[in-house]
Amino acid sequence: MLLALCGLVMLGLVREETGTEAFLVGLGLAVLPAPAVVLAFRWLGRAHPLPWGTHAFVLAWGACAGALIALVANSFVAVWLADAWAHPVDPNTLAALAVAPVVEESAKATALLLVLVFRGRLIRGPVDAVVLTGLTATGFAFTENILYLAKAFGSDRDEGTGAAITVATFFIRAVFSPFAHPLFTCMTGLGVGLALLSRRRVGRVLLPAAGLLLAMGMHAAWNGSTVLGPLGFPLVYVTIMIPALGFTVWLVLWHRQRELRTVRETLPRYALAGWLSPYEPLALGSLRSRRIAAEFASYHGIRADARRLRLYAAAATRLALLRSDAERGRRTPDFAHRERALLDHLWRDRALARPAFAHSWRLAPPRAPHLLPAQPAVAAAPGGWYAPPAWWPPAPPRGYGQGPGYGHGYGHGYGAPPPHGRADAPYGGSPAPYGYGGRPAPYGSGGPAPYVPGQPPYAAVPAGIPTGTGQQPTGEDARHDPWAPPRE
């Protein structure tokens, strides 16, 4: 409600300053680049997608509260400098170089600070922080573009220049540099995200401050390009903006791949304990496999199934990152509660997810050298794909009607009875140390247990699982496997 009120006040101030007609033209033109930038940031964060509500909040903060704070503060300082500044330098130029970067970047960074305070567990590293700060700045740039484009339209109307100024302003702000404001604020996000990964207190304090100062410096350089003459804009654009954009995108993509690798290397421990099927750890660690699984769920179900599958993948990613942080010494006080909540989420939607990820495994087997912790390297098949161990369930066959039916393990068609004619047949229809459909053991009863510092329960391959023999554990090894969930 407060953000909506700020937005109404902001739009009213812009309309009062530029006129209704110019305001509507500026609003229509400012809308054009915004969806593309929002989708770009959503794409960057798709490995660990944050809730839409969080994205909507930071967008609204940038467009409403951040823009209103910046407009009021910049106007106040400009008037004060015009009255008190007795220097040859134009006070408006001084405000653009020294005041606007500080005020605007601080206002935009406040959104990330609020998310850290109230929903800090959502931000797992630089990728999440960059996505949130970029979306905040996208909202801020949208409102600022309304003002600049409306003023340009009013200048064209008053000076009789047709649409020359409006077109030039649109191309500079919406075509050549729609990423300008997001890029500045992403420096703050990088600093905060790297600080979250730092194990030293000095890094946690200095990195956010360094990111904010870098954002202010780049913003000041961008505003100062107008002072350098006709060559100022191309010079700053080529020497600062383009290299900074390329480096930021590369760094974010590198961290995203690192998160996916963490998913591939951490989730097999939960698969061995029975919480996930053998296909899922590697499939969840591949964005292509996730997309194929979502398409499979949508095709054989309803659109809501694809959304549930994406939420399932997001929960699995958070679980992997949570476990990885705990094992690296970054344990949170409510680790056990959060781990159990995520596991319950995965277990609740297993009937939807397991057939879909088994299908994606068959169509797009992930390239990953680590299939299970502490397992010797598996010989690569032709083409460089790493084959699963022989004791894993077989890959699903191709063809419509041969895939898994929802609510069943893989290996039978829709409506067919479980394999081997047994209601407790294991996942995939092959002998296994645990049965598909049997809930893993609760905490403290031999199944997955809360994390204990120095004694990670999933650090090694459990007893009874062969490491390279290619055989299924049988006999005493299978019956006394402490990791196997009990049959129901």
Side-chain angles (χ1 to χ4, degrees):
M1 180 64 72
L2 185 60
L3 289 178
L5 180 60
C6 291
L8 292 176
V9 172
M10 181 67 197
L11 294 179
L13 293 175
V14 174
R15 190 196 66 81
E16 183 179 357
E17 183 176 352
T18 61
T20 302
E21 183 181 7
F23 166 75
L24 293 176
V25 171
L27 177 62
L29 294 177
V31 169
L32 297 179
V37 181
V38 171
L39 291 177
F41 281 107
R42 288 282 297 179
W43 177 82
L44 285 176
R46 63 181 180 149
H48 179 222
L50 299 177
W52 268 106
T54 305
H55 286 178
F57 167 75
V58 296
L59 270 171
W61 178 273
C64 302
L68 181 61
I69 293 172
L71 178 63
V72 173
N74 289 339
S75 301
F76 173 79
V77 173
V79 172
W80 179 80
L81 288 176
D83 295 337
W85 190 254
H87 197 273
V89 178
D90 183 9
N92 292 325
T93 302
L94 181 64
L97 293 177
V99 178
V102 176
V103 172
E104 294 178 7
E105 295 306 322
S106 299
K108 289 182 286 185
T110 305
L112 180 61
L113 178 62
L114 292 174
V115 175
L116 283 171
V117 171
F118 294 102
R119 305 198 69 181
R121 66 179 60 181
L122 294 177
I123 305 178
R124 308 302 307 173
V127 179
D128 297 331
V130 165
V131 169
L132 291 178
T133 51
L135 290 174
T136 304
T138 301
F140 183 92
F142 165 73
T143 304
E144 190 178 68
N145 285 342
I146 297 176
L147 177 61
Y148 279 92
L149 290 169
K151 286 184 176 180
F153 179 82
S155 298
D156 284 329
R157 181 184 55 193
D158 297 339
E159 300 175 8
T161 55
I165 301 177
T166 305
V167 171
T169 303
F170 178 80
F171 269 89
I172 291 175
R173 299 188 65 87
V175 177
F176 289 107
S177 59
F179 56 86
H181 271 288
L183 181 60
F184 305 151
T185 316
C186 281
M187 299 299 105
T188 304
L190 278 178
V192 173
L194 294 175
L196 293 176
L197 299 180
S198 177
R199 298 185 181 182
R200 298 183 178 181
R201 183 174 299 179
V202 176
R204 296 172 190 159
V205 174
L206 294 182
L207 285 173
L212 182 59
L213 291 176
L214 182 59
M216 295 175 180
M218 292 180 61
H219 197 155
W222 177 255
N223 290 349
S225 63
T226 58
V227 183
L228 302 177
L231 297 179
F233 174 76
L235 181 64
V236 173
Y237 189 83
V238 173
T239 60
I240 298 180
M241 301 297 291
I242 297 299
L245 177 64
F247 174 76
T248 303
V249 172
W250 171 83
L251 187 61
V252 171
L253 292 178
W254 182 82
H255 273 282
R256 190 175 74 176
Q257 290 301 317
R258 186 181 179 185
E259 290 181 352
L260 292 173
R261 185 178 65 183
T262 301
V263 171
R264 294 192 296 267
E265 295 178 351
T266 304
L267 290 186
R269 308 167 189 186
Y270 292 97
L272 288 171
W275 291 99
L276 301 171
S277 68
Y279 301 112
E280 292 179 75
L282 294 183
L284 286 164
S286 168
L287 294 178
R288 183 187 177 196
S289 295
R290 291 188 187 186
R291 177 179 55 82
I292 293 175
E295 292 174 354
F296 178 86
S298 178
Y299 182 78
H300 293 288
I302 57 177
R303 289 188 61 184
D305 287 344
R307 182 176 181 275
R308 284 175 57 200
L309 200 66
R310 294 188 182 95
L311 294 176
Y312 182 95
T317 305
R318 285 196 293 271
L319 176 63
L321 296 178
L322 181 68
R323 166 64 62 177
S324 178
D325 287 348
E327 294 178 355
R328 294 173 184 269
R330 294 191 296 268
R331 180 172 174 260
T332 55
D334 58 343
F335 170 84
H337 173 74
R338 292 171 59 187
E339 182 187 46
R340 182 56 184 262
L342 292 170
L343 287 172
D344 288 342
H345 182 183
L346 298 181
W347 189 258
R348 184 174 60 251
D349 290 336
R350 67 191 185 282
L352 169 69
R354 293 187 175 187
F357 283 111
H359 174 78
S360 68
W361 168 276
R362 178 64 181 89
L363 294 185
R367 301 185 66 173
H370 299 89
L371 292 172
L372 292 172
Q375 180 180 352
V378 182
W385 304 105
Y386 284 84
W391 55 271
W392 281 40
R398 290 180 179 271
Y400 176 78
Q402 300 176 347
Y406 286 98
H408 297 289
Y410 190 77
H412 52 282
Y414 288 91
H420 306 305
R422 292 165 31 208
D424 62 342
Y427 184 80
S430 300
Y434 57 89
Y436 177 63
R439 186 179 180 85
Y443 289 83
S445 59
Y451 175 73
V452 178
Q455 298 179 3
Y458 307 110
V461 177
I465 299 296
T467 57
T469 63
Q471 300 295 325
Q472 170 68 26
T474 56
E476 294 298 322
D477 289 338
R479 286 196 295 271
H480 292 84
D481 180 7
W483 288 55
R487 292 180 179 271
E488 292 182 350

